[in-house]
Amino acid sequence: MKVDDTSGLGLFKVLVDSIKLFGLDIDDIRGQGYDNGSNMKGKHQGVQRRLLDINPRALYMPCACHSLNLTLCDMAKSCAKAASFFGIVQRIYILFSGSTKRWNVLLDHILALSQLQQASDLELSDKTDANNLLKALGSFEFILGMVIRYDILFAVNTVSKRLQSPSMCIDTTLQQIEDMKNYFNNYRNEGFASSMTIAKSIASEMGVEPSFSVKRKAQRKKHFDEIDTNEEILQAEKAFEVNYFLVVVDMANTSLKSKFEELQTFKSIFGFLLSSTTLKSLNDTELEYCCTKFLKTFSSHDTSDVEVNDLISELKVLKLSLPERPMSSMDIFEYVRKMDSYPNISIAYRILFTAPVTVASAERSFSKLKLLKNYLRSTMSQQRLNGLATLCIEKKLLDEVDSNTIINDFASRNDRRKF
């Protein structure tokens, strides 16, 4: 759709008009999911805030995968040494991507910077840059920083992929985020020592001295109370741990908590439905409190999605009838569907499972458009682009379609006249 006004108000008007055009009712919305653009998720002027004003039941769900990406950005800005680390990586990319010849050098040789440093057909500025980068990569601080970054980014990437799964739901998301928080807390206490061990092993293989650089001082006679070189090295190691390692880990952990605060709000609303263990652990007073909060959340204009007294009664009966084995929210929902005697519980779980945890599916749709319509296909019509995008996005359904039937039908409609 053509959008001239990309402000929060402009996008909101387009969204509302589109919903009405398709004959949909805004009051039926129960969850919102956007990327992290301020005009979309802004607390005061964004689309999500304006939609909440007219439909309080349309809860806003933060985009989990985008939040993890922002966590990585926050880590990169956490301290000067962290910024320097990514700066070196960026300079390496710029240097080698400057020409196809240099890029082939990078692909074919491990000691690529050393070869560029000695190349005769390279400009003096590039030789100097290659020499400086070679020294930076050969420092023990860079090797240790690379090991620390790998440990953190590997954990973030693993959880990020899980959060982008089409089958991801709120209870699983909360557990994944909680596991990552625990990992960061444990890594903060034990990670530096293990990273030092790995970095020293890599440095030994590369022929790099596994020690921190100490600023040179003018040679002079030492007094009896001055520290020796070993103590200076230990101080440099401690300074690296305090000013680099702890700062990066704490920034990642803090960013992770702040980005997912709203998920905790969802947990406070849906928490009693997330597992049979949680449900059975609630007494009658706690159960009534959870149901009342759920009712207030999904009530608007003197209407509500559930009848609170019936919901409480149904949950009390369900607690006694559920099997003894631990059951997830989806297992409970399947059980409720088979029994077909808990209408209010069924509504509550349907709201839970339709709340958008991520917008990864929508992001993949935009990625498909970029792949389908590039500069080589600039004349592709909108209708054909939409058709190809739908085929790519719904590939699972496409694989189940009998192509022979479609081909025969197409051929019969376009049969040429025979003279």
Side-chain angles (χ1 to χ4, degrees):
M1 301 189 66
K2 184 180 179 180
V3 179
D4 296 321
D5 184 2
T6 58
S7 65
L9 179 60
L11 293 173
F12 171 75
K13 290 181 178 179
V14 172
L15 175 63
V16 172
D17 292 341
S18 301
I19 291 175
K20 293 179 179 178
L21 181 64
F22 286 104
L24 302 175
D25 190 353
I26 295 179
D27 288 337
D28 290 338
I29 297 176
R30 294 298 178 270
Q32 306 180 59
Y34 308 106
D35 62 13
N36 280 285
S38 59
N39 55 351
M40 300 300 293
K41 75 175 186 66
K43 294 182 179 180
H44 304 290
Q45 302 296 328
V47 175
Q48 64 105 348
R49 179 67 262 172
R50 296 180 184 276
L51 189 55
L52 282 174
D53 290 337
I54 62 174
N55 182 9
R57 289 180 285 190
L59 297 178
Y60 167 65
M61 171 63 75
C63 177
C65 53
H66 276 283
S67 297
L68 287 175
N69 291 336
L70 287 177
T71 300
L72 302 185
C73 296
D74 292 338
M75 288 164 53
K77 302 173 184 177
S78 56
C79 63
K81 288 188 176 181
S84 175
F85 176 88
F86 286 101
I88 293 174
V89 176
Q90 180 70 13
R91 287 171 59 196
I92 292 174
Y93 174 78
I94 293 174
L95 177 62
F96 282 97
S97 62
S99 69
T100 55
K101 184 177 180 180
R102 292 182 219 164
W103 192 256
N104 290 330
V105 171
L106 178 63
L107 296 178
D108 296 338
H109 301 278
I110 298 177
L111 300 177
L113 287 172
S114 178
Q115 183 175 350
L116 285 182
Q117 181 186 0
Q118 302 173 1
S120 58
D121 57 343
L122 205 64
E123 294 183 3
L124 181 60
S125 59
D126 291 332
K127 284 187 177 181
T128 304
D129 200 12
N131 183 41
N132 294 333
L133 286 173
L134 184 61
K135 292 180 180 179
L137 288 175
S139 65
F140 182 69
E141 287 89 344
F142 182 85
I143 297 174
L144 179 57
M146 184 172 58
V147 173
I148 294 171
R149 290 285 171 177
Y150 175 83
D151 291 340
I152 296 177
L153 297 181
F154 183 84
V156 172
N157 184 56
T158 301
V159 177
S160 179
K161 288 182 177 180
R162 292 176 183 173
L163 292 180
Q164 296 179 41
S165 171
S167 61
M168 182 60 64
C169 55
I170 291 178
D171 56 342
T172 310
T173 301
L174 290 170
Q175 186 59 49
Q176 294 289 344
I177 300 303
E178 197 62 36
D179 291 343
M180 183 179 289
K181 290 180 182 177
N182 295 333
Y183 170 80
F184 281 145
N185 292 333
N186 183 67
Y187 187 73
R188 189 183 192 279
N189 298 327
E190 304 175 0
F192 187 73
S194 61
S195 299
M196 280 286 294
T197 303
I198 298 173
K200 287 181 179 179
S201 175
I202 296 175
S204 299
E205 294 178 2
M206 296 176 60
V208 177
E209 179 66 26
S211 62
F212 293 90
S213 58
V214 179
K215 293 183 179 179
R216 294 184 60 184
K217 295 183 179 180
Q219 294 292 333
R220 60 180 179 79
K221 184 178 180 181
K222 292 184 178 180
H223 297 285
F224 69 94
D225 58 343
E226 288 186 337
I227 59 176
D228 57 16
T229 306
N230 292 332
E231 291 183 359
E232 289 181 352
I233 294 175
L234 292 176
Q235 285 186 353
E237 179 179 328
K238 187 64 178 179
F240 188 92
E241 179 182 4
V242 173
N243 299 327
Y244 183 94
F245 175 77
L246 294 180
V247 172
V248 170
V249 176
D250 288 344
M251 178 60 71
N253 206 359
T254 303
S255 177
L256 192 65
K257 292 178 181 178
S258 62
K259 297 296 189 301
F260 290 96
E261 285 179 353
E262 291 170 24
L263 277 179
Q264 297 302 321
T265 302
F266 270 70
K267 185 177 181 179
S268 66
I269 298 172
F270 296 106
F272 68 107
L273 301 173
L274 296 181
S275 68
S276 60
T277 305
T278 303
L279 182 60
K280 291 181 178 181
S281 66
L282 300 176
N283 57 40
D284 291 348
T285 304
E286 294 171 336
L287 188 62
E288 291 178 5
Y289 172 79
C290 293
C291 293
T292 303
K293 185 172 184 177
F294 185 90
L295 174 72
K296 291 180 179 179
T297 303
F298 296 103
S299 297
S300 179
H301 305 113
D302 298 326
T303 62
S304 60
D305 293 335
V306 297
E307 207 292 316
V308 63
N309 293 321
D310 290 346
L311 178 61
I312 294 172
S313 301
E314 290 177 14
L315 287 172
K316 288 181 179 179
V317 176
L318 182 64
K319 285 172 57 178
L320 300 176
S321 60
L322 284 176
E324 292 298 325
R325 61 181 177 84
M327 300 177 67
S328 65
S329 53
M330 184 59 70
D331 294 334
I332 299 175
F333 180 55
E334 292 296 335
Y335 178 84
V336 169
R337 289 180 61 189
K338 290 179 181 179
M339 298 299 293
D340 195 21
S341 57
Y342 303 99
N344 288 276
I345 295 178
S346 179
I347 292 173
Y349 273 107
R350 279 154 52 195
I351 295 175
L352 167 64
F353 291 130
T354 53
V357 179
T358 74
V359 294
S361 299
E363 294 293 336
R364 280 193 287 266
S365 301
F366 286 104
S367 299
K368 288 294 183 183
L369 291 176
K370 292 180 181 179
L371 293 174
L372 291 171
K373 189 171 183 178
N374 53 33
Y375 69 96
L376 296 176
R377 298 170 177 168
S378 58
T379 60
M380 183 184 298
S381 65
Q382 185 70 27
Q383 182 178 3
R384 186 185 178 200
L385 177 62
N386 289 339
L388 292 176
T390 303
L391 293 177
C392 290
I393 296 168
E394 304 294 345
K395 187 177 184 302
K396 291 184 178 179
L397 296 176
L398 178 63
D399 293 338
E400 298 175 0
V401 176
D402 185 4
S403 58
N404 292 327
T405 303
I406 298 177
I407 294 173
N408 293 333
D409 181 63
F410 178 80
S412 63
R413 296 184 182 185
N414 295 273
D415 189 19
R416 295 182 178 180
R417 294 182 179 180
K418 297 180 180 180
F419 296 96

